[in-house]
Amino acid sequence: MIERKQVNVLRTRLAEPRRFIQVIAGPRQVGKTTIIGQLITQLTVPHTSISADGVLPDNAEWIGDQWNVVRKTMDLQHQTEHILIIDEVQLLNRWSDVVKREWDADTRDKRNIKLVLLGSSRLLLKDGLNESLAGRFELIHVPHWDFSEMRNAFDISLEQFIYFGSYPGAVELMKDEKRWRHYIRQSIINPAIEKDVLMTKRILKPALLRQVFDMSANHSGELLALNKIVGQLQDAGNTSTVANYIQVLGEAELITGLHMYAPDVARQYQSIPKFQVFNAALQTGYHLSSFEATYMDSTHWGRRVESAVGAHLINYAVEEDYRVMYWRERNDEIDFVITNGDKVLGIEVKSGHRSAGNGLRAFAKRFPKAQTLVVGTGGMPLDLFMTLNPANLF
């Protein structure tokens, strides 16, 4: 079984003196629980692993009860150190208040209980950690699997990665595409929205949220104005509501809306969003065209390649702290622009079926200090790009 790099990061931090709560956060079905399982087999100190899944949401004191069990165990067995791991902690209301109380009590009493929390995506970070636990935690982000990991673990091709995405649990179903789609919808998309979003956010129109996800995932790699989206939705809301739901879906690492690159920040945020899924499976799950038919459709496959590059960029952006945008001015445009401080890199994706455009030259002329890169035909090979950390391209 492949060991993701986050296992070593967590192992190293837990070997240090007690200082911070360790938070494992990332989207559904990317291996957070597996990371803990692999770590547990390597631990040489006492540990307790529990899950809040199935606990009533209003019963946050369950955390305190479990914590006291660990304290009593330490006293009875004369333990000098204990690791407490709590999974799905974000499902409990006021969980961060209880964690803060118990963590601070151990700090005062000099009790060496090291805490690991697992939760779904940045919803956990934003709605709990920053409110009550500021200064007390370190985040270990677990992103969607990249092409290198999927190839090494399952020997899938780049074309399969572009179409089927990177959920490890779905790999064995790829030969039966109908069954694979049902799994993606029922075991990943539905729980991600119904549990990771609706149970951690106050959503006034759940049906509208789901429609926004369906439409934006289906149009990954495309620009679509918010007012046009509102006009096509059955449960219509205003553009502000739709924009907010897109932001929420981005925090859950499902889809996001990329802004246009411009020196004027106000212009960036007023631009038409370019939709981008975090995992190709989220787009393919609702597309009825088969893998073979999609690959043979040159126009559609070109969009899929672009979307796969975009997913690669945004998944690394969470960890590397760079921004991903696109650029468009009149008839000129390029697929992606990534920025880190004053460093700017324009990226044009060209599959074997896409014709060359003038966008990259126009971008370089408009922003002479920016770097440029062609990915695919006539530039960096796609399979090489998909194995690189984009932050290293600056």
Side-chain angles (χ1 to χ4, degrees):
M1 179 182 294
I2 189 173
E3 182 177 289
R4 304 195 76 185
K5 63 181 181 180
Q6 289 80 13
V7 177
N8 185 57
V9 173
L10 181 58
R11 180 173 54 238
T12 300
R13 291 184 181 180
L14 289 176
E16 298 172 349
R18 178 185 183 273
R19 185 178 299 110
F20 300 112
I21 299 168
Q22 298 300 321
V23 179
I24 311 296
R28 184 170 291 270
Q29 294 294 316
V30 297
K32 298 186 297 295
T33 303
T34 300
I35 286 171
I36 292 299
Q38 291 174 333
L39 175 75
I40 285 176
T41 64
Q42 304 170 20
L43 290 177
T44 58
V45 300
H47 57 272
T48 299
S49 181
I50 55 179
S51 175
D53 192 14
V55 180
L56 293 176
D58 289 333
N59 187 19
E61 288 302 325
W62 171 85
I63 297 174
D65 295 338
Q66 302 300 315
W67 211 305
N68 282 325
V69 170
V70 171
R71 290 176 178 137
K72 291 178 181 178
T73 300
M74 291 184 71
D75 292 340
L76 290 172
Q77 299 184 6
H78 306 289
Q79 297 174 0
T80 59
E81 179 181 349
H82 199 106
I83 297 173
L84 174 58
I85 303 165
I86 308 177
D87 198 357
E88 299 288 3
V89 68
Q90 83 284 348
L91 298 179
L92 303 179
N93 300 329
R94 294 182 49 254
W95 67 268
S96 57
D97 294 336
V98 178
V99 167
K100 177 178 181 295
R101 182 190 70 201
E102 303 299 335
W103 176 264
D104 288 353
D106 283 348
T107 300
R108 289 193 302 270
D109 297 340
K110 301 186 184 307
R111 189 182 289 272
N112 193 19
I113 297 179
K114 297 178 180 179
L115 181 64
V116 180
L117 302 177
L118 282 76
S120 297
S121 196
R122 284 169 286 175
L123 297 173
L124 171 66
L125 174 63
K126 183 176 180 180
D127 293 341
L129 299 174
N130 286 346
E131 293 175 1
S132 301
L133 298 172
R136 294 174 173 83
F137 72 93
E138 287 184 294
L139 176 69
I140 300 175
H141 177 251
V142 184
H144 292 275
W145 288 46
D146 64 18
F147 172 55
S148 292
E149 291 175 308
M150 293 295 290
R151 182 181 59 185
N152 293 340
F154 306 106
D155 195 31
I156 72 169
S157 67
L158 178 59
E159 291 75 19
Q160 288 173 317
F161 178 82
I162 290 170
Y163 182 82
F164 290 103
S166 59
Y167 287 112
V171 170
E172 294 299 321
L173 305 179
M174 284 165 39
K175 294 180 181 178
D176 185 343
E177 293 187 27
K178 181 178 180 181
R179 185 179 177 188
W180 178 88
R181 283 187 177 84
H182 287 165
Y183 175 83
I184 295 298
R185 297 173 192 171
Q186 297 165 8
S187 297
I188 295 179
I189 295 176
N190 289 347
I193 293 177
E194 294 168 6
K195 289 188 176 182
D196 300 342
V197 176
L198 295 181
M199 292 185 67
T200 54
K201 285 286 187 176
R202 185 170 179 266
I203 302 296
L204 298 178
K205 295 184 175 183
L208 178 60
L209 173 73
R210 184 53 185 262
Q211 290 176 38
V212 170
F213 169 77
D214 291 348
M215 178 172 290
S216 56
N218 189 52
H219 289 278
S220 181
E222 301 178 37
L223 276 67
L224 200 60
L226 294 182
N227 56 1
K228 184 175 180 180
I229 295 176
V230 171
Q232 294 185 37
L233 296 176
Q234 295 177 359
D235 186 3
N238 57 42
T239 56
S240 296
T241 300
V242 172
N244 178 61
Y245 288 174
I246 293 171
Q247 180 178 345
V248 169
L249 292 167
E251 291 169 357
E253 295 179 63
L254 294 170
I255 64 97
T256 190
L258 304 179
H259 297 295
M260 184 183 72
Y261 175 71
D264 183 355
V265 176
R267 189 181 174 197
Q268 292 180 14
Y269 286 95
Q270 293 171 0
S271 61
I272 297 174
K274 178 178 182 176
F275 289 108
Q276 177 62 59
V277 292
F278 279 80
N279 191 315
L282 301 172
Q283 181 178 15
T284 306
Y286 286 95
H287 199 271
L288 300 181
S289 179
S290 69
F291 169 50
E292 182 178 0
T294 302
Y295 181 71
M296 296 303 294
D297 184 336
S298 60
T299 300
H300 192 181
W301 187 252
R303 290 199 296 267
R304 286 304 188 95
V305 171
E306 179 184 334
S307 184
V309 170
H312 184 66
L313 291 172
I314 64 174
N315 276 296
Y316 270 92
V318 176
E319 180 178 354
E320 297 293 345
D321 202 28
Y322 60 76
R323 293 190 63 195
V324 183
M325 292 172 276
Y326 70 95
W327 179 74
R328 183 180 187 183
E329 196 168 278
R330 298 184 179 88
N331 295 325
D332 296 315
E333 62 180 292
I334 59 174
D335 298 318
F336 302 103
V337 178
I338 60 175
T339 65
N340 187 346
D342 59 354
K343 299 177 181 177
V344 180
L345 174 63
I347 299 175
E348 179 71 12
V349 182
K350 296 179 181 177
S351 69
H353 310 294
R354 294 185 62 185
S355 59
N358 297 319
L360 210 59
R361 288 192 293 272
F363 177 80
K365 184 177 180 179
R366 177 71 174 82
F367 304 102
K369 294 184 179 181
Q371 302 177 60
T372 58
L373 176 68
V374 174
V375 175
T377 306
M380 179 181 288
L382 180 62
D383 58 349
L384 173 60
F385 177 84
M386 296 296 284
T387 63
L388 297 176
N389 180 341
N392 295 330
L393 295 172
F394 287 107

